[in-house]
Amino acid sequence: MATATSTTTTTNLGILISGRGSNMEAILAAVKAGRIPSARPRIVISNKADAAGLKTAERYGVPTKVVLPEGAKGWDYDKKLVAALEGAGVTPQDGLVCLAGFMRIISPEFVRHFKLRVLNIHPALLPSFPGLHAQRQAVEYGVKVSGCTVHFVDEGVDSGPVILQRTVPVEDNDTEETLAARILEQEHKAYPEAVRLFSEGRLRVEGRKVFIRSSS
Ligand code: GRF
């Protein structure tokens, strides 16, 4: 049995982005509004210099850093991420790394380094439609319900233990874009909620299952 929890009162957040950063903003806005009192955003890192989310993070007063791959792959690149995260106070002892539209596959070494301290959000009800273009996959398959999943990151792709899921209906006339917009609204609720639960030490992981302890 493993407990994914913070042993201190504060969870230091590192958020990894590649683009728009709307999920990152949802987390930063929730912290700013006092809805995640036990978390402190310490750094936003992008692998792309022109990620729009970097400006958003600056508006929230969160330090940002661009970590360009410059040819580095796998753990060679991820070591640079670890250095940037730990330099900002996001450690395996009291940190939480949130992948928020980070368009790289994280190496097994990184996952092991931050064991049970890396979260991801995926725009489908996993294990359905992992990988790229999840909303397009859902529309093309003809499912009637889709949604989003926040999960712990393990050594596979979109395969780690599920923390929260939120559903949306798929309408007959939905396109990839209209479904993505409907799912995104739910992502912006689910991700801050999962960060709050983690930072309050309320997630317990047993194998594939995540149990959420009630607050009372
Ligand atoms: C979201 O749909 C998320 O589920 C997926 O990538 C997208 C990122 O959007 N992993 P944003 O950068 O958070 O706006």
Side-chain angles (χ1 to χ4, degrees), residues 19-24 100-101 103 120-123 135 184 187-188:
R20 181 176 58 181
S22 71
N23 278 289
M24 171 208 73
M103 300 302 286
N120 182 43
I121 186 151
H122 183 74
Q135 304 95 331
L184 195 63
E187 294 184 40
H188 295 167

Side-chain angles (χ1 to χ4, degrees), residues 1-215:
M1 179 169 60
T3 301
T5 184
S6 43
T7 48
T8 57
T9 49
T10 299
T11 296
N12 293 312
L13 294 183
I15 306 178
L16 307 191
I17 64 169
S18 296
R20 181 176 58 181
S22 71
N23 278 289
M24 171 208 73
E25 182 169 13
I27 294 167
L28 297 183
V31 171
K32 190 172 176 196
R35 295 200 302 274
I36 318 181
S38 38
R40 299 279 179 282
R42 299 299 187 195
I43 191 164
V44 168
I45 300 173
S46 172
N47 63 326
K48 299 224 160 95
D50 60 354
L54 290 169
K55 292 231 159 34
T56 311
E58 285 165 18
R59 280 209 315 275
Y60 280 81
V62 179
T64 62
K65 194 169 177 98
V66 175
V67 180
L68 296 174
E70 292 169 325
K73 294 192 180 123
W75 178 231
D76 280 342
Y77 174 76
D78 289 356
K79 273 192 264 194
K80 302 182 192 204
L81 294 178
V82 170
L85 287 162
E86 295 192 350
V90 182
T91 70
Q93 288 72 46
D94 59 11
L96 177 63
V97 180
C98 295
L99 309 184
F102 188 62
M103 300 302 286
R104 289 182 68 93
I105 293 175
I106 292 289
S107 64
E109 291 90 341
F110 185 96
V111 172
R112 289 197 286 267
H113 187 81
F114 282 108
K115 186 172 162 48
L116 288 176
R117 287 182 178 273
V118 186
L119 306 188
N120 182 43
I121 186 151
H122 183 74
L125 297 175
L126 291 170
S128 292
F129 313 129
L132 293 174
H133 309 301
Q135 304 95 331
R136 187 191 306 169
Q137 293 184 58
V139 169
E140 287 177 355
Y141 195 93
V143 291
K144 305 297 187 193
V145 177
S146 191
C148 62
T149 304
V150 184
H151 62 93
F152 283 103
V153 174
D154 67 6
E155 295 183 24
V157 176
D158 300 329
S159 59
V162 171
I163 300 169
L164 290 177
Q165 292 184 304
R166 293 181 73 97
T167 61
V168 303
V170 182
E171 311 290 355
D172 289 349
N173 58 357
D174 261 331
T175 62
E176 178 181 1
E177 290 75 25
T178 59
L179 179 61
R182 196 176 309 118
I183 292 173
L184 195 63
E185 287 177 22
Q186 299 307 314
E187 294 184 40
H188 295 167
K189 295 180 179 159
Y191 216 168
E193 171 70 358
V195 171
R196 184 176 68 80
L197 291 169
F198 181 96
S199 67
E200 291 175 354
R202 289 173 51 197
L203 302 179
R204 182 168 54 85
V205 184
E206 284 182 38
R208 282 216 53 84
K209 292 193 183 172
V210 179
F211 297 93
I212 301 174
R213 186 164 52 76
S214 71
S215 57

